[in-house]
Amino acid sequence: MAAAKKAVLGPLVGAVDQGTSSTRFLVFNSKTAELLSHHQVEIKQEFPREGWVEQDPKEILHSVYECIEKTCEKLGQLNIDISNIKAIGVSNQRETTVVWDKLTGEPLYNAVVWLDLRTQSTVESLSKRIPGNNNFVKSLTGGASGGVHCTDVTNASRTMLFNIHSLEWDKELCEFFEIPMKILPNVRSSSEIYGLMKAGALEGVPISGCLGDQSAALVGQMCFQDGQAKNTYGTGCFLLCNTGRKCVVSEHGLLTTVAYKLGRDKPVYYALEGSVAIAGAVIRWLRDNLGIIKTSEEIEKLAKEVGTSYGCYFVPAFSGLYAPYWEPSARGIICGLTQFTNKCHIAFAALEAVCFQTREILDAMNRDCGIPLSHLQVDGGMTNNKILMQLQADILYIPVVKPSMPETTALGAAMAAGAAEGVGVWSLEPEDLSAVTMERFEPQINAEESEIRYSTWKKAVMKSMGWVTTQSSESGDPSIFCSLPLGFFIVSSMVMLIGARYLSGMP
């Protein structure tokens, strides 16, 4: 019997989406933005001490290889020819630190995850002197054997070592934090050919897109205009608003960051960002620590059973409070409990907590930008939870708009890769961008009720603060990481390092 003929779908683009909770590899049709196949592997988190969060760098790297190979197998089963994959983009967790031996490629320690609090005392000490990057491209392009050690402007802008105006590593900042500039990766645009896959099913395919995960989601949501914003619901929650080619300095606790630079000769665009540390992570905590659910999907069923938290409020400040408070002394609390409270009410309160935290950063964004958002574009794995999306519309009191294909982080990385010079299979011109089907959630409660619930949440937040005092770094065990500033990260270098083990370098 003759072998089945391979389907011809036009140019395809792959995307590595390496997040805090999982790694995925996804393949898209560059002409329609249709997701054709993907594979996902959950990543283990380790908590060796209170406030410490680590991951095994080798596990992260292996998960990328596994996802690429498994996705290619699935495409073969669908009769899709993987030789049509013309480029690969990379999106990664931005603020997780990995340091490795440049000769052997071996990590010197576990990855210190962006949720980690061990450097809090160091940060406070450094702040008194004032008047952190993951490289998969290096790994995928060959690692220690000639891999390309580079990152892009969006990842570099998260390190506190990068001048976001000149787009170069800042000598004064590196000296201030005592970071030798020679260990830092070369900084490139978010869309250009960095190198070629060196091994595996996609050997020879260029890696040509690199974006920090939240910038990738901004691109995937096609927020290319000044004032467009998106909120991604993952391990944490991240609201980004495109501010165009100008840096806007927040007066309400938000961060100014690089949004993207889609080509060597293209202009850089900036964004305001509001960050929530714990969103999807609170569901994982209910599953792994309390055991009240067996799978993350069960949270929706529990919440639906009661339809209310019955006065129970959950502030999941496991790693302190991020925007707009930036309060490291806060810790998680559940309050308003009665004998009537059960696990369903706690599940509902956990979902409400994600929505209340989003309301806080949206309010700050509206004050900074001057023009309130008329609706909120959302994406990320948690948006599959319809209870959560309806709660979010109710608490914000504006419509919430969700794309039918929620994998916008991977889509953004694929768009950057496909649009790169020398690849050119994905047009980013407005008239060429595919129309996206949206699901819309309208507020279903009155504004007064929304405000009452929100004001009660704010009371709970105040009670979560001041629970811990900083231990001086001298009192703890000595560690190489005690000298690292909170914002110094080497994870995007590791994603490129992943590319490098799989890639051959290119000039």
Side-chain angles (χ1 to χ4, degrees):
M1 186 174 175
K5 190 176 180 180
K6 296 285 186 183
V8 179
L9 295 172
L12 310 180
V13 179
V16 173
D17 180 4
Q18 204 299 297
T20 313
S21 302
S22 69
T23 299
R24 287 174 289 186
F25 184 68
L26 308 91
V27 175
F28 297 90
N29 184 326
S30 66
K31 299 305 178 187
T32 64
E34 177 190 1
L35 174 60
L36 300 177
S37 186
H38 75 284
H39 189 76
Q40 178 172 349
V41 173
E42 189 167 305
I43 300 296
K44 203 182 307 177
Q45 293 184 30
E46 300 175 19
F47 306 94
R49 297 188 192 177
E50 182 183 354
W52 290 28
V53 189
E54 299 178 2
Q55 291 177 329
D56 181 348
K58 291 185 176 181
E59 180 189 353
I60 295 174
L61 189 56
H62 182 267
S63 71
V64 174
Y65 299 151
E66 180 181 348
C67 287
I68 290 173
E69 296 302 319
K70 294 290 187 183
T71 302
C72 288
E73 289 175 14
K74 291 178 180 179
L75 289 171
Q77 293 165 8
L78 294 171
N79 216 27
I80 296 173
D81 192 346
I82 63 172
S83 68
N84 285 324
I85 297 176
K86 304 302 182 186
I88 296 169
V90 174
S91 164
N92 55 272
Q93 45 175 315
R94 299 168 296 174
E95 296 160 354
T96 294
T97 304
V98 179
V99 181
W100 65 87
D101 187 307
K102 71 176 183 179
L103 298 178
T104 65
E106 291 295 307
L108 300 181
Y109 188 74
N110 276 345
V112 178
V113 178
W114 59 276
L115 290 165
D116 193 279
L117 293 175
R118 76 187 69 188
T119 57
Q120 183 180 326
S121 60
T122 305
V123 172
E124 292 181 3
S125 173
L126 287 170
S127 69
K128 295 172 185 174
R129 295 165 48 189
I130 298 176
N133 154 354
N134 170 4
N135 198 329
F136 282 111
V137 174
K138 183 172 175 66
S139 293
L140 294 173
T141 52
S145 305
V148 181
H149 187 202
C150 69
T151 190
D152 87 304
V153 291
T154 67
N155 282 294
S157 73
R158 309 302 296 184
T159 62
M160 294 176 65
L161 303 173
F162 188 69
N163 187 316
I164 64 174
H165 305 285
S166 66
L167 305 183
E168 297 173 323
W169 296 118
D170 191 288
K171 187 172 183 293
E172 287 185 23
L173 286 172
C174 289
E175 288 175 352
F176 176 81
F177 289 119
E178 300 179 4
I179 302 297
M181 294 179 73
K182 64 184 179 182
I183 74 169
L184 300 174
N186 294 323
V187 181
R188 312 273 281 271
S189 78
S190 309
S191 179
E192 61 180 272
I193 296 177
Y194 314 107
L196 305 177
M197 291 289 288
K198 191 176 180 182
L202 299 181
E203 182 177 358
V205 176
I207 291 185
S208 53
C210 177
L211 291 147
D213 50 10
Q214 302 313 318
S215 290
L218 194 72
V219 171
Q221 284 269 32
M222 302 178 201
C223 294
F224 295 126
Q225 302 300 315
D226 192 342
Q228 288 187 302
K230 66 85 203 174
N231 195 38
T232 298
Y233 298 75
T235 300
C237 232
F238 300 90
L239 176 64
L240 266 71
C241 180
N242 189 331
T243 62
R245 295 171 67 174
K246 62 182 182 295
C247 282
V248 175
V249 178
S250 174
E251 296 180 356
H252 300 96
L254 305 180
L255 303 176
T256 303
T257 192
V258 173
Y260 52 79
K261 185 179 188 295
L262 296 174
R264 292 184 187 182
D265 302 321
K266 300 289 186 180
V268 63
Y269 283 76
Y270 296 94
L272 276 176
E273 175 172 341
S275 308
V276 170
I278 304 294
V282 74
I283 312 305
R284 189 168 179 167
W285 182 81
L286 291 174
R287 184 193 70 184
D288 297 345
N289 291 45
L290 294 193
I292 70 171
I293 53 174
K294 290 189 173 67
T295 66
S296 298
E297 292 73 26
E298 284 180 41
I299 192 85
E300 184 172 11
K301 182 182 175 184
L302 287 183
K304 191 174 182 179
E305 280 184 30
V306 289
T308 176
S309 65
Y310 201 76
C312 171
Y313 285 82
F314 190 165
V315 182
F318 301 152
S319 298
L321 290 168
Y322 282 31
Y325 301 101
W326 299 110
E327 182 49 70
S329 72
R331 285 297 179 270
I333 63 169
I334 301 175
C335 55
L337 300 175
T338 71
Q339 287 180 307
F340 183 71
T341 306
N342 61 35
K343 65 180 182 180
C344 297
H345 299 118
I346 292 173
F348 195 95
L351 295 182
E352 274 193 320
V354 175
C355 301
F356 286 132
Q357 291 178 103
T358 296
R359 166 77 186 267
E360 291 189 307
I361 56 177
L362 184 68
D363 284 354
M365 190 80 71
N366 286 338
R367 289 194 292 270
D368 276 327
C369 295
I371 303 174
L373 290 177
S374 60
H375 66 276
L376 181 65
Q377 291 178 233
V378 300
D379 59 78
M382 290 189 78
T383 61
N384 290 323
N385 186 320
K386 292 185 182 296
I387 297 284
L388 176 70
M389 292 295 94
Q390 186 57 58
L391 275 172
Q392 189 67 87
D394 291 344
I395 289 166
L396 297 180
Y397 211 67
I398 59 173
V400 168
V401 181
K402 170 192 172 237
S404 56
M405 199 287 293
E407 303 294 350
T408 53
T409 300
L411 178 61
M415 290 166 66
E421 183 179 353
V423 178
V425 299
W426 204 310
S427 172
L428 299 184
E429 295 301 320
E431 63 271 17
D432 295 327
L433 294 174
S434 302
V436 178
T437 305
M438 297 286 191
E439 185 175 3
R440 191 177 178 94
F441 296 84
E442 299 281 352
Q444 292 183 353
I445 63 174
N446 61 52
E448 183 180 1
E449 182 184 348
S450 179
E451 288 304 317
I452 290 171
R453 286 161 67 175
Y454 183 49
S455 63
T456 309
W457 155 263
K458 300 278 275 188
K459 285 168 58 179
V461 170
M462 292 301 110
K463 293 185 183 299
S464 75
M465 295 184 186
W467 281 89
V468 294
T469 55
T470 306
Q471 277 188 321
S472 69
S473 56
E474 290 77 18
S475 65
D477 290 341
S479 165
I480 182 174
F481 294 106
C482 286
S483 63
L484 287 176
L486 185 62
F488 171 54
F489 312 113
I490 308 188
V491 173
S492 66
S493 285
M494 189 186 160
V495 177
M496 299 215 155
L497 174 65
I498 290 178
R501 275 215 184 140
Y502 247 170
L503 295 173
S504 58
M506 291 187 68

